[in-house]
Amino acid sequence: MDSVDQIKYLAPKENRNIKAKCPECSSSRKNKRDKSLSISREGNKILYYCHHCEWKGSYNEYSGTTSNKIHGGEGNKRADPFASRLRAIKRGVQW
């Protein structure tokens, strides 16, 4: 069973959000039981986002199409350590 099949299996049956283990990163993490993956349903569309590895995407049950991005990419907050430091300084965190 691939990752998107697991998402379809775990997805809530009605319009709401759930948390689950991420099939992309949970096996390589120190805390393997952490539920960092948010899965939500909006009508026929299932949306998912991992708050750890930033794996995200959607699945449309009506058309059977999948759109996913694995491990960040553009907009990845963890990719640029200087951007993280700048955000911390703006919040008043002493570096």
Side-chain angles (χ1 to χ4, degrees), residues 37 47-50 53-58 67-76:
L37 182 69
L47 306 169
Y48 49 94
Y49 178 77
C50 177
C53 70
E54 298 183 357
W55 178 59
K56 58 187 170 184
S58 64
S67 167
N68 60 358
K69 297 179 181 176
I70 299 178
H71 305 293
E74 270 190 54
N76 184 352

Side-chain angles (χ1 to χ4, degrees), residues 6 17 65 76 79:
Q6 290 179 13
N17 299 330
T65 58
N76 184 352

